[in-house]
Amino acid sequence: MAAREPDAPPVGEELHLPSPSLMPVLNAAGVVLALLGLTLGRGLIVVGLLLFLVTLVLWIRDVSRDIDELPGDPH
């Protein structure tokens, strides 16, 4: 059997990890509030959906900024 080469980057190349963020947690909280609003009242639906949409936009903006800061051409 041939030895399989690892999927690691070349020596000296830095691994990119996303910065820590509360956006995924707040995004999930928005979904939970919206779903709770289905049984508890329309106010929670509105608050949950607003929280979900705002955190989604902020999360996408943060990720795209991280991608733009990567060295080299991503394509």
Side-chain angles (χ1 to χ4, degrees), residues 19-64:
S19 56
S21 175
L22 284 176
M23 289 306 139
V25 174
L26 294 174
N27 196 269
V31 171
V32 168
L33 283 176
L35 291 175
L36 282 173
L38 292 174
T39 58
L40 299 178
R42 292 183 185 174
L44 280 179
I45 294 174
V46 172
V47 170
L49 287 177
L50 283 175
L51 180 62
F52 172 77
L53 291 174
V54 168
T55 57
L56 182 65
V57 168
L58 292 175
W59 192 7
I60 290 171
R61 185 193 67 187
D62 290 345
V63 169
S64 64

Side-chain angles (χ1 to χ4, degrees), residues 62-75:
D62 290 345
V63 169
S64 64
R65 188 180 306 136
D66 280 349
I67 290 171
D68 288 342
E69 291 175 359
L70 288 174
D73 186 21
H75 302 287

Side-chain angles (χ1 to χ4, degrees), residues 7-21:
D7 293 333
V11 175
E13 186 173 333
E14 188 177 319
L15 289 175
H16 173 73
L17 296 174
S19 56
S21 175

